[in-house]
Amino acid sequence: MEPRTKNILIGTVTVLLAAALIAGAVYFNRPRVVAVVDSESVLAGITTDNLMAHLKELEAIAEANGGNRKAGTAGHAASVDYVEQQLKKAGYTTERQQFSYDSSGRKLVSFEMVGPSANSGSVEVGTDVDLMGAFHPDEVTADVTAVDLNLEGDRQTTSGCEASDFEGFPRGNIALVQRGTCRFDVKMSLAAEAGARAVIVMNQGDAADRRGIFVGDLSEIATVPVLAATFDLGAELAAGGRVALTVDSPGAVVTENLIADLPGLGGRTVVVGAHLDGVGGGPGINDNGSGVAAVLETALQLAAVDAQPTLGVRFAFWSGEEDGLYGSTHYVQQLSEAERRAIEVYLNVDMVGSPNPVARVYAGTGSDHPVWEVMRDHLRAQGVTTSTANFDLSDHKPFMEARIRVSGLYTGADEPSPNGAPGDPCYHQACDNVTNIDPEMLGLMADALAHGVLSVAS
Ligand code: TRP
Ligand code: ZN
């Protein structure tokens, strides 16, 4: 930290002896040594190495658990274990707050070619075949019947567009139709009427961009599973095949928020949070290992200096953010009116190590807390160009809606940075790993967070 810090409203967290003794008696039943904590010593403890070490752990956890840390999975559970263990080692008492939510939406969980004609080559869900729609969870094992395909020449086709295509269709079989001419809904409805147990729509194969897997939209309810397949898989199935497929309803996700408290002298608190869950498609290191690392390091370094702030500081590691802000919403809903009013500010940290960063401080939210200026000024004093941002795409939204004042930090997702590239080109992708982090920016953001927390809590 450097000289211009003087400009900033806070510098020192000073806790009066008497007050500290009372606090000691209340919270610990023993007198505590008074600690005079200045933000410099806390910020000095927050190093890039420490932050990156947390991210490496989270990446290793994803790697060991199917490549992600999604809510309700082993990867998220292991992430909670890791953060909890770090907090406990630093002396915190932690609380796990369990909740559940319905993640409706169907998934093709397996697709296999079975029977004597099965090709030895494996079919991969997501690459060769995927779900277009399914109203119910389902399990289908049946022979595939090709419906008016045109696999040669120009490959122009009206496959599955006419009721006559399904004349003689063996009820209970899986209909294999080809993309082209009419809407997917038409092919689906005619197939279902003809008694198909499932429908596979193979790509048309008439052009280079019509060979691979594709995303198709159904506007009608899919009463039977409707799948999209590559042209090649369709051609293979057309030769005669039997398929076993499973469509699952992920249904209720049971998961938990992790919470740790640094007690204050009175009843008021600063809540600092980051979502610890990620998307299913990657390790979630910038989104949101970065925010987790910043919040966790703030907690660890405050404990390391034995900080005794005036306001309590509550560190929260939310789950279910990626599915719809479920963890933070649950947290806000379970607060009593008095607890809600006792929150001085909620500070959100989501995506703060973006490789093409734009340093943003949340402001203009309609529920601003003046600490945003303290964080902005701190960043400016470090030579960081900042902008403000007003959006409700993360866990501060339920707080704002409950009229709790908020701020937060953010360095960019898929929207373009001034250099033209997305703030985070690996947003929600498999490449969101430790190499997708700007360590220096992450360090600056973590410092700004700790500085903001201290300025409010002291
Ligand atoms: N919350 C989003 C996610 O986790 C990321 C995001 C996009 C975001 N835009 C934002 C976070 C603005 C904070 C602010 O996927
Ligand atoms: Zn996020």
Side-chain angles (χ1 to χ4, degrees):
M1 287 264 320
E2 30 138 325
R4 283 158 82 187
T5 319
K6 274 188 247 121
N7 298 343
I8 291 151
L9 294 174
I10 80 126
T12 310
V13 179
T14 308
V15 179
L16 294 174
L17 177 59
L21 287 172
I22 293 163
V26 171
Y27 292 104
F28 302 99
N29 292 318
R30 63 188 162 82
R32 296 187 82 195
V33 178
V34 179
V36 175
V37 179
D38 66 290
S39 80
E40 283 185 41
S41 59
V42 175
L43 269 57
I46 299 177
T47 63
T48 303
D49 282 356
N50 289 354
L51 294 163
M52 292 306 290
H54 297 312
L55 296 184
K56 282 174 194 148
E57 284 296 333
L58 292 174
E59 182 171 333
I61 285 168
E63 247 167 50
N65 291 283
N68 71 77
R69 302 183 302 101
K70 190 172 165 56
T73 70
H76 177 258
S79 303
V80 173
D81 288 346
Y82 172 70
V83 175
E84 181 184 59
Q85 166 218 321
Q86 292 284 310
L87 290 163
K88 282 187 166 162
K89 225 168 43 185
Y92 285 97
T93 307
T94 59
E95 183 201 332
R96 291 174 177 230
Q97 182 177 63
Q98 206 179 73
F99 64 97
S100 67
Y101 59 92
D102 186 52
S103 137
S104 46
R106 309 276 172 251
K107 246 172 71 178
L108 181 64
V109 291
S110 68
F111 182 101
E112 270 178 83
M113 295 177 69
V114 294
S117 65
N119 186 310
S120 56
S122 67
V123 178
E124 242 190 271
V125 173
T127 306
D128 305 303
V129 63
D130 214 338
L131 192 68
M132 211 185 290
F135 189 58
H136 303 288
D138 217 339
E139 268 182 70
V140 179
T141 302
D143 291 330
V144 175
T145 298
V147 179
D148 192 22
L149 308 177
N150 178 8
L151 307 182
E152 308 291 337
D154 68 359
R155 293 172 182 162
Q156 295 311 301
T157 177
T158 58
S159 168
C161 297
E162 294 139 352
S164 59
D165 291 347
F166 294 93
E167 261 166 38
F169 183 87
R171 296 190 75 83
N173 274 18
I174 296 171
L176 173 64
V177 300
Q178 191 174 2
R179 184 181 188 184
T181 305
C182 62
R183 296 185 52 88
F184 300 128
D185 295 280
V186 174
K187 298 175 197 269
M188 169 183 78
S189 306
L190 291 175
E193 265 167 49
R197 286 279 287 110
V199 183
I200 299 171
V201 185
M202 64 183 287
N203 213 344
Q204 194 170 350
D206 59 326
D209 63 351
R210 284 201 163 220
R211 292 193 65 97
I213 191 78
F214 62 98
V215 178
D217 272 330
L218 293 168
S219 46
E220 286 169 39
I221 287 173
T223 53
V224 298
V226 181
L227 279 52
T230 61
F231 179 82
D232 288 347
L233 176 58
E236 199 177 326
L237 290 168
R242 188 170 174 80
V243 160
L245 64 91
T246 312
V247 174
D248 188 27
S249 163
V253 173
V254 179
T255 184
E256 53 202 359
N257 295 326
L258 179 68
I259 291 166
D261 283 308
L262 186 64
L265 300 179
R268 293 192 72 69
T269 57
V270 176
V271 182
V272 193
H275 73 86
L276 183 50
D277 65 305
V279 292
I285 297 307
N286 188 34
D287 183 15
N288 183 30
S290 64
V292 166
V295 175
L296 178 58
E297 265 309 292
T298 300
L300 299 184
Q301 297 308 323
L302 284 172
V305 298
D306 198 18
Q308 296 169 51
T310 313
L311 272 66
V313 184
R314 170 162 282 195
F315 302 97
F317 300 89
W318 313 119
S319 185
E321 192 270 357
E322 297 289 2
D323 290 336
L325 314 179
Y326 286 103
S328 50
T329 301
H330 172 81
Y331 178 79
V332 171
Q333 279 172 357
Q334 56 83 51
L335 293 171
S336 70
E337 182 60 31
E339 287 169 328
R340 211 173 291 188
R341 268 189 269 119
I343 297 175
E344 172 66 23
V345 59
Y346 170 65
L347 294 176
N348 192 61
V349 197
D350 189 359
M351 305 189 74
V352 288
S354 309
N356 299 307
V358 176
R360 298 182 186 83
V361 179
Y362 302 4
T365 61
S367 197
D368 288 355
H369 187 283
V371 69
W372 77 266
E373 290 177 302
V374 176
M375 294 193 292
R376 179 202 56 190
D377 291 348
H378 177 82
L379 286 164
R380 281 187 182 169
Q382 311 301 307
V384 180
T385 310
T386 60
S387 56
T388 56
N390 166 26
F391 37 65
D392 57 7
L393 295 172
S394 189
D395 291 306
H396 52 300
K397 183 181 183 188
F399 288 86
M400 284 163 57
E401 287 174 348
R403 299 155 144 275
I404 295 163
R405 290 185 296 174
V406 302
S407 188
L409 297 166
Y410 172 60
T411 58
D414 48 2
E415 71 282 0
S417 290
N419 69 4
D424 179 352
C426 289
Y427 177 56
H428 286 183
Q429 294 174 49
C431 57
D432 184 11
N433 55 35
V434 290
T435 68
N436 186 45
I437 290 286
D438 178 333
E440 197 195 343
M441 179 53 72
L442 175 59
L444 289 162
M445 284 284 159
D447 276 359
L449 175 71
H451 185 77
V453 169
L454 280 166
S455 85
V456 183
S458 60

Short mmCIF file of all heavy atoms in Angstrom, two decimals, residues 19 77 84 107 117 121 123 128 136 147 158 202 294 301 310 317 327 346 351 369 372-373 394 445 454:
data_model
loop_
_atom_site.label_atom_id
_atom_site.label_comp_id
_atom_site.label_asym_id
_atom_site.label_seq_id
_atom_site.Cartn_x
_atom_site.Cartn_y
_atom_site.Cartn_z
N ALA A 19 -14.52 -1.24 25.22
CA ALA A 19 -15.46 -1.90 24.31
C ALA A 19 -15.01 -3.31 23.99
O ALA A 19 -15.80 -4.25 23.94
CB ALA A 19 -15.59 -1.08 23.03
N ALA A 77 -19.61 -29.88 -3.35
CA ALA A 77 -19.46 -30.34 -1.96
C ALA A 77 -18.00 -30.26 -1.53
O ALA A 77 -17.69 -29.81 -0.41
CB ALA A 77 -20.00 -31.77 -1.82
N GLU A 84 -14.42 -24.34 4.02
CA GLU A 84 -14.73 -24.51 5.44
C GLU A 84 -13.47 -24.84 6.24
O GLU A 84 -13.22 -24.28 7.32
CB GLU A 84 -15.76 -25.63 5.61
CG GLU A 84 -16.17 -25.86 7.05
CD GLU A 84 -17.10 -27.05 7.17
OE1 GLU A 84 -16.69 -28.17 6.78
OE2 GLU A 84 -18.23 -26.86 7.63
N LYS A 107 -32.47 -33.55 -19.16
CA LYS A 107 -31.14 -33.81 -19.69
C LYS A 107 -31.10 -35.20 -20.29
O LYS A 107 -31.70 -36.12 -19.74
CB LYS A 107 -30.13 -33.76 -18.53
CG LYS A 107 -29.15 -32.62 -18.63
CD LYS A 107 -28.30 -32.47 -17.39
CE LYS A 107 -27.28 -33.56 -17.17
NZ LYS A 107 -26.46 -33.30 -15.97
N SER A 117 -26.29 -55.26 -33.77
CA SER A 117 -25.84 -54.37 -34.83
C SER A 117 -25.03 -53.19 -34.30
O SER A 117 -24.57 -52.35 -35.07
CB SER A 117 -27.04 -53.84 -35.62
OG SER A 117 -27.83 -53.05 -34.77
N GLY A 121 -17.89 -48.10 -32.07
CA GLY A 121 -17.58 -46.68 -31.79
C GLY A 121 -18.56 -46.12 -30.79
O GLY A 121 -19.77 -46.34 -30.88
N VAL A 123 -20.88 -43.44 -28.77
CA VAL A 123 -21.64 -42.24 -29.08
C VAL A 123 -21.57 -41.32 -27.88
O VAL A 123 -21.83 -41.76 -26.76
CB VAL A 123 -23.11 -42.60 -29.38
CG1 VAL A 123 -23.92 -41.35 -29.67
CG2 VAL A 123 -23.19 -43.58 -30.54
N ASP A 128 -22.33 -36.05 -30.27
CA ASP A 128 -22.98 -36.75 -31.38
C ASP A 128 -24.50 -36.63 -31.31
O ASP A 128 -25.18 -36.69 -32.32
CB ASP A 128 -22.60 -38.24 -31.34
CG ASP A 128 -21.10 -38.44 -31.32
OD1 ASP A 128 -20.43 -37.94 -32.25
OD2 ASP A 128 -20.58 -39.07 -30.37
N HIS A 136 -41.30 -35.34 -20.02
CA HIS A 136 -41.14 -36.21 -18.85
C HIS A 136 -39.73 -36.80 -18.83
O HIS A 136 -39.16 -37.02 -19.89
CB HIS A 136 -42.09 -37.41 -18.94
CG HIS A 136 -43.52 -37.04 -19.07
ND1 HIS A 136 -44.24 -36.51 -18.04
CD2 HIS A 136 -44.38 -37.12 -20.12
CE1 HIS A 136 -45.47 -36.28 -18.43
NE2 HIS A 136 -45.60 -36.64 -19.71
N VAL A 147 -37.17 -42.86 -41.38
CA VAL A 147 -38.39 -42.32 -41.96
C VAL A 147 -38.06 -41.42 -43.16
O VAL A 147 -37.64 -40.28 -42.97
CB VAL A 147 -39.19 -41.53 -40.89
CG1 VAL A 147 -40.45 -40.93 -41.51
CG2 VAL A 147 -39.55 -42.42 -39.71
N THR A 158 -38.02 -34.28 -47.27
CA THR A 158 -39.23 -33.89 -46.54
C THR A 158 -39.47 -34.91 -45.44
O THR A 158 -40.60 -35.12 -45.01
CB THR A 158 -40.45 -33.83 -47.47
OG1 THR A 158 -40.62 -35.13 -48.07
CG2 THR A 158 -40.29 -32.76 -48.54
N MET A 202 -31.84 -36.29 -37.24
CA MET A 202 -30.44 -36.20 -37.68
C MET A 202 -30.25 -34.93 -38.50
O MET A 202 -31.19 -34.44 -39.14
CB MET A 202 -30.05 -37.44 -38.50
CG MET A 202 -30.82 -37.58 -39.81
SD MET A 202 -30.39 -39.09 -40.70
CE MET A 202 -28.75 -38.67 -41.29
N ALA A 294 -11.10 -14.01 -3.11
CA ALA A 294 -11.03 -12.65 -2.54
C ALA A 294 -11.74 -12.59 -1.18
O ALA A 294 -11.21 -12.01 -0.22
CB ALA A 294 -11.64 -11.64 -3.51
N GLN A 301 -7.13 -13.10 6.45
CA GLN A 301 -6.19 -12.07 6.88
C GLN A 301 -6.75 -11.23 8.03
O GLN A 301 -5.98 -10.76 8.88
CB GLN A 301 -5.75 -11.20 5.70
CG GLN A 301 -5.00 -11.97 4.61
CD GLN A 301 -3.83 -12.79 5.18
OE1 GLN A 301 -3.13 -12.37 6.10
NE2 GLN A 301 -3.64 -13.99 4.62
N THR A 310 -15.86 -3.04 14.74
CA THR A 310 -17.05 -2.53 15.42
C THR A 310 -18.30 -3.25 14.92
O THR A 310 -19.12 -3.72 15.69
CB THR A 310 -17.20 -1.02 15.17
OG1 THR A 310 -15.93 -0.41 15.39
CG2 THR A 310 -18.22 -0.41 16.10
N PHE A 317 -20.59 -17.86 1.36
CA PHE A 317 -20.21 -18.54 0.12
C PHE A 317 -21.45 -19.23 -0.41
O PHE A 317 -21.83 -20.30 0.05
CB PHE A 317 -19.05 -19.52 0.40
CG PHE A 317 -17.83 -18.80 0.95
CD1 PHE A 317 -17.69 -18.61 2.34
CD2 PHE A 317 -16.87 -18.29 0.10
CE1 PHE A 317 -16.59 -17.92 2.85
CE2 PHE A 317 -15.78 -17.60 0.61
CZ PHE A 317 -15.63 -17.41 1.98
N GLY A 327 -29.11 -19.55 -3.62
CA GLY A 327 -28.54 -19.52 -2.27
C GLY A 327 -28.71 -18.17 -1.60
O GLY A 327 -29.12 -18.08 -0.44
N TYR A 346 -24.39 -5.21 1.87
CA TYR A 346 -23.97 -6.48 1.30
C TYR A 346 -22.99 -6.20 0.16
O TYR A 346 -23.29 -5.44 -0.76
CB TYR A 346 -25.15 -7.30 0.75
CG TYR A 346 -24.65 -8.49 -0.04
CD1 TYR A 346 -23.93 -9.51 0.60
CD2 TYR A 346 -24.81 -8.58 -1.42
CE1 TYR A 346 -23.41 -10.58 -0.11
CE2 TYR A 346 -24.28 -9.64 -2.15
CZ TYR A 346 -23.58 -10.64 -1.49
OH TYR A 346 -23.05 -11.69 -2.18
N MET A 351 -16.61 -12.74 -10.30
CA MET A 351 -15.75 -12.56 -11.48
C MET A 351 -14.85 -11.34 -11.33
O MET A 351 -15.14 -10.27 -11.87
CB MET A 351 -16.59 -12.46 -12.76
CG MET A 351 -17.51 -13.64 -12.96
SD MET A 351 -18.32 -13.66 -14.58
CE MET A 351 -16.97 -14.14 -15.65
N HIS A 369 -24.69 1.68 -1.33
CA HIS A 369 -24.06 2.06 -0.06
C HIS A 369 -22.83 2.89 -0.41
O HIS A 369 -22.11 2.54 -1.35
CB HIS A 369 -23.68 0.82 0.74
CG HIS A 369 -23.18 1.14 2.12
ND1 HIS A 369 -21.92 1.64 2.35
CD2 HIS A 369 -23.79 1.04 3.31
CE1 HIS A 369 -21.77 1.83 3.66
NE2 HIS A 369 -22.90 1.48 4.26
N TRP A 372 -19.03 2.18 -1.94
CA TRP A 372 -18.56 2.00 -3.32
C TRP A 372 -17.51 3.03 -3.67
O TRP A 372 -16.55 2.75 -4.38
CB TRP A 372 -19.72 1.99 -4.32
CG TRP A 372 -20.32 3.33 -4.67
CD1 TRP A 372 -21.40 3.92 -4.09
CD2 TRP A 372 -19.88 4.23 -5.71
NE1 TRP A 372 -21.66 5.13 -4.68
CE2 TRP A 372 -20.76 5.35 -5.68
CE3 TRP A 372 -18.84 4.19 -6.65
CZ2 TRP A 372 -20.60 6.43 -6.56
CZ3 TRP A 372 -18.70 5.28 -7.52
CH2 TRP A 372 -19.58 6.38 -7.47
N GLU A 373 -17.67 4.25 -3.12
CA GLU A 373 -16.69 5.30 -3.42
C GLU A 373 -15.35 5.02 -2.74
O GLU A 373 -14.29 5.37 -3.28
CB GLU A 373 -17.22 6.66 -2.97
CG GLU A 373 -18.38 7.12 -3.83
CD GLU A 373 -18.96 8.44 -3.35
OE1 GLU A 373 -19.39 8.50 -2.17
OE2 GLU A 373 -18.97 9.39 -4.15
N SER A 394 -26.23 -10.95 -10.33
CA SER A 394 -25.55 -11.83 -9.38
C SER A 394 -26.23 -11.75 -8.01
O SER A 394 -27.34 -11.21 -7.89
CB SER A 394 -24.06 -11.48 -9.33
OG SER A 394 -23.35 -12.44 -8.59
N MET A 445 -8.31 -6.34 -6.73
CA MET A 445 -9.73 -6.43 -6.36
C MET A 445 -9.90 -6.94 -4.93
O MET A 445 -10.73 -6.45 -4.17
CB MET A 445 -10.45 -7.35 -7.34
CG MET A 445 -10.70 -6.71 -8.68
SD MET A 445 -12.07 -5.55 -8.51
CE MET A 445 -11.82 -4.48 -9.87
N LEU A 454 -13.13 -3.12 5.79
CA LEU A 454 -12.58 -2.48 6.99
C LEU A 454 -13.14 -1.08 7.18
O LEU A 454 -13.38 -0.64 8.31
CB LEU A 454 -11.05 -2.42 6.90
CG LEU A 454 -10.36 -3.73 7.28
CD1 LEU A 454 -8.92 -3.72 6.86
CD2 LEU A 454 -10.48 -3.97 8.80
#
